[in-house]
Amino acid sequence: MDSISKLEDLKEIASELSIDIITSNLFDPEIIVKSGHCKVKGKNIIIIDSMLSSQEQSEVIIRALRKFDMESIYLPPWIRERLESDNSI
């Protein structure tokens, strides 16, 4: 499975968990902004730097998903394996 397909799988899982994903260029010469999970007005959001590769974007989502209970939804085996490991995609 290629990295773009993996990224799409992860976005689908995030959607099932009602987590919004925002992809944007986070470059700002005056402040440092990093990709990751945040909560705004009670809504879970994952912000991803569009300058990251699809593999790096997937890693951001994996790190964020580890914070959520996913026992009630189906996860493709590769995602379940990644959530339980510390290795890169």
Side-chain angles (χ1 to χ4, degrees):
M1 177 177 277
D2 66 10
S3 61
I4 293 173
S5 297
K6 287 182 176 185
L7 181 58
E8 291 306 314
D9 282 355
L10 289 165
K11 287 180 177 181
E12 187 175 315
I13 297 300
S15 176
E16 288 182 40
L17 293 168
S18 299
I19 302 169
D20 289 340
I21 295 182
I22 299 171
T23 305
S24 182
N25 184 340
L26 300 181
F27 176 76
D28 187 319
E30 296 184 22
I31 60 171
I32 296 174
V33 181
K34 292 186 177 184
S35 299
H37 170 257
C38 65
K39 210 166 194 175
V40 178
K41 295 183 180 179
K43 180 73 177 158
N44 287 300
I45 299 172
I46 300 172
I47 300 172
I48 301 176
D49 188 343
S50 61
M51 301 305 288
L52 296 175
S53 70
S54 55
Q55 184 173 350
E56 291 168 318
Q57 290 182 28
S58 292
E59 187 58 36
V60 169
I61 297 171
I62 289 284
R63 282 194 312 266
L65 290 178
R66 285 186 175 132
K67 300 174 184 179
F68 296 89
D69 178 17
M70 289 174 283
E71 291 301 317
S72 63
I73 63 171
Y74 171 77
L75 295 175
W78 79 266
I79 293 177
R80 176 120 6 235
E81 184 178 303
R82 280 294 293 119
L83 290 169
E84 295 171 355
S85 74
D86 290 331
N87 300 326
S88 298
I89 291 179

